[in-house]
């Protein structure tokens, strides 16, 4: 391995943008499908990636087709055991990736449509989290995402229903297809979530129509504290200033929608440009079991290779994961001190 690859592989990491339904490794996916009697069009990890890439010609405009393929994978989740298994599986992988802290997203509406109740989902995620922390030393917090193509009333009902489990959920987010003017549509949901004390984030996908308007709406209407993706912010100086002035972090994902194993040079230029302008942006894997670049370490390695990024830049991207984590100040400081000490020690050995 090159010195850069060794450094990226060894450094402790935080991951803030990863969907638990997108972490189901091929062997576990097939096991869960088998025990639930669900026939899949996949027989291997290569089949899954091929399914994600099928019919795609432009990596910048394929969110809908990616979600269609992802739905095939998350359709296998039919019981609490399934959610517990995929949580434990992801946290086991975190140990390999040197991920010591993760904020993981889940979509409750997906499970509800498949007959898995909220109580069952939340208890299974909690059980898997505790087992993963015990066995692999990974700390995890959960972000509950609402799907933008589902009714606002459905999200409000779920917010009300999860009150007994409030201490298990750190934040509320939005994902799935980006409908026009979604920030205004979901303003009532975020108003309730803010009142309940949840942290707030939302996907603002890359190269989507009205990206700037949506990013501005998430800041001004939804009052988000973080934005998932949000790279098109770099096209508007006033939006960049809002991100910096309000300390709103971005969670970038170098490889999107499994179109290729390397990230888009254009996307990386947006990420590094935002970083240089003072935006707190981290790099994350998003849906690693479906993406060509795979898990976080390899995602970071491919990003570094694609743009020939310096170690200083890579370390800043990775450190920003801890800086923008939703943690109490003492816990965040402890992680940052360990990260800085590890950086210094690793560089001395190179």
């Amino acid at each position: 391995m090159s010195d850069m690859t060794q450094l990226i592989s060894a450094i402790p990491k935080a991951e803030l943008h990863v969907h638990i339904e997108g972490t189901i490794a091929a062997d576990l996916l097939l096991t869960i499908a088998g025990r639930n009697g669900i026939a899949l069009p996949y027989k291997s990890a290569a089949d899954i990636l091929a399914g994600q890439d099928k019919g795609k010609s432009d990596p910048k405009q394929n969110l809908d087709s990616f979600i269609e393929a992802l739905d095939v994978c998350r359709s296998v989740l039919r019981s609490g055991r399934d959610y517990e298994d995929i949580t434990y599986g992801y946290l086991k992988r975190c140990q390999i990736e040197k991920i010591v802290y993760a904020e993981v997203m889940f979509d409750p509406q997906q499970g509800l449509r498949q007959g898995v109740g909220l109580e069952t989902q939340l208890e299974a995620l909690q059980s898997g989290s505790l087992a993963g922390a015990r066995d692999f030393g990974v700390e995890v917090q959960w972000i509950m995402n609402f799907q933008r193509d589902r009714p606002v009333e459905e999200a409000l009902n779920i917010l009300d229903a999860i009150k007994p489990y409030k201490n298990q959920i750190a934040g509320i987010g939005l994902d799935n297809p980006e409908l026009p003017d979604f920030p205004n549509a979901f303003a009532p949901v975020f108003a309730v979530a803010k009142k309940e004390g949840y942290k707030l984030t939302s996907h603002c996908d890359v190269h989507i129509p009205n990206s700037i308007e949506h990013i501005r709406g998430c800041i001004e209407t939804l009052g988000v504290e973080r934005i998932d993706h949000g790279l098109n912010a770099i096209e508007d100086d006033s939006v960049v200033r809002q991100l910096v002035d309000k300390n709103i972090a971005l969670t970038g994902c170098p490889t999107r929608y499994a179109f290729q194993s390397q990230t888009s040079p254009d996307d990386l230029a947006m990420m590094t440009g935002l970083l240089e302008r003072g935006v707190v942006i981290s790099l994350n894997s998003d849906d690693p079991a479906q993406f060509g670049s795979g898990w976080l370490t390899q995602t970071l390695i491919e990003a570094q290779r694609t743009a020939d990024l310096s170690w200083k830049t890579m370390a800043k991207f990775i450190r920003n994961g801890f800086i923008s984590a939703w943690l109490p100040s003492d816990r965040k400081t402890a992680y940052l001190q360990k990260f800085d000490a590890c950086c210094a020690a690793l560089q001395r050995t190179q």
Side-chain angles (χ1 to χ4, degrees):
M1 291 192 295
S2 69
D3 289 348
M4 185 70 79
T5 298
Q6 289 179 323
L7 286 168
I8 293 171
S9 300
I11 203 72
K13 306 169 186 72
E15 181 152 49
L16 308 182
H17 187 153
V18 59
H19 299 262
I20 194 62
E21 301 93 345
T23 68
I24 312 173
D27 56 347
L28 180 56
L29 177 71
L30 296 170
T31 295
I32 294 174
R35 76 184 179 209
N36 290 335
I38 297 170
L40 292 175
Y42 309 135
K43 291 186 175 14
S44 67
D47 287 347
I48 294 170
L49 292 179
Q52 296 289 13
D53 285 343
K54 186 178 180 181
K56 295 177 182 175
S57 59
D58 181 0
K60 295 181 180 180
Q61 296 293 346
N62 54 25
L63 174 60
D64 289 346
S65 59
F66 167 73
I67 290 173
E68 289 173 6
L70 177 61
D71 278 344
V72 174
C73 294
R74 55 191 184 185
S75 71
V76 304
L77 302 173
R78 303 300 175 93
S79 72
R81 179 185 176 188
D82 299 339
Y83 281 87
E84 187 172 0
D85 285 353
I86 64 174
T87 299
Y88 189 81
Y90 169 67
L91 296 180
K92 182 178 182 179
R93 182 73 198 202
C94 283
Q95 188 178 46
I96 298 171
E97 302 298 314
K98 300 294 191 295
I99 297 169
V100 295
Y101 174 77
E103 293 176 6
V104 186
M105 303 173 191
F106 74 103
D107 283 18
Q109 289 150 301
Q110 185 76 26
L112 287 169
R113 291 196 298 274
Q114 293 166 188
V116 188
L118 278 174
E119 179 179 338
T120 299
Q121 290 182 49
L122 291 167
E123 290 184 354
L125 295 174
Q126 178 78 345
S127 177
S129 300
L130 293 173
R134 178 196 66 215
D135 294 347
F136 311 118
V138 183
E139 182 178 1
V140 62
Q141 293 200 87
W142 291 97
I143 300 170
M144 186 172 71
N145 278 356
F146 293 119
Q147 297 176 332
R148 290 175 292 203
D149 52 342
R150 301 292 299 175
V152 171
E153 293 74 20
E154 191 172 277
L156 287 169
N157 289 336
I158 292 172
L159 264 182
D160 185 61
I162 63 167
K163 285 182 179 179
Y165 299 91
K166 185 177 174 181
N167 64 343
Q168 295 182 25
I169 299 170
I172 300 298
L174 295 173
D175 62 13
N176 254 32
E178 193 158 320
L179 301 183
D181 200 30
F182 76 84
N184 280 328
F186 280 86
V189 176
F190 275 61
V192 172
K194 183 175 182 179
K195 185 177 179 180
E196 292 291 331
Y198 295 109
K199 298 290 187 179
L200 304 176
T201 185
S202 174
H203 279 53
C204 285
D205 294 289
V206 186
H207 307 304
I208 298 293
N210 303 314
S211 287
I212 294 298
E213 289 80 1
H214 289 169
I215 293 168
R216 188 178 286 112
C218 284
I219 296 169
E220 298 176 358
T221 302
L222 298 184
V224 298
E225 298 157 85
R226 219 163 56 203
I227 293 176
D228 301 309
H229 300 301
L231 304 186
N232 291 98
I234 200 168
E235 298 167 359
D236 189 297
D237 289 344
S238 66
V239 172
V240 173
R241 284 195 298 272
Q242 283 184 304
L243 294 174
V244 174
D245 292 347
K246 294 177 180 289
N247 196 31
I248 297 171
L250 302 184
T251 60
C253 299
T255 301
R256 293 182 293 111
Y257 315 146
F259 184 80
Q260 51 192 1
S261 62
Q262 288 186 326
T263 189
S264 159
D266 292 343
D267 285 5
L268 268 179
M270 297 167 83
M271 293 179 200
T272 54
L274 288 161
L275 186 74
E276 290 165 0
R277 294 182 63 177
V279 176
V280 179
I281 179 171
S282 60
L283 302 184
N284 306 270
S285 70
D286 205 347
D287 292 276
Q290 277 82 32
F291 286 178
S293 62
W295 302 87
L296 182 58
T297 298
Q298 190 60 34
T299 297
L300 295 170
I301 289 169
E302 293 294 348
Q304 188 279 323
R305 287 176 179 168
T306 298
D308 193 25
L309 299 176
S310 68
W311 171 244
K312 181 179 179 181
T313 297
M314 291 303 301
K316 192 170 184 180
F317 273 130
I318 299 169
R319 193 175 193 273
N320 279 347
F322 293 106
I323 289 174
S324 51
W326 288 336
L327 283 166
S329 58
D330 59 335
R331 295 287 299 129
K332 187 179 295 190
T333 298
Y335 276 120
L336 287 168
Q337 288 174 343
K338 289 179 182 178
F339 177 85
D340 292 340
C342 187
C343 273
L346 286 169
Q347 287 182 287
R348 285 196 296 269
T349 65
Q350 297 299 313

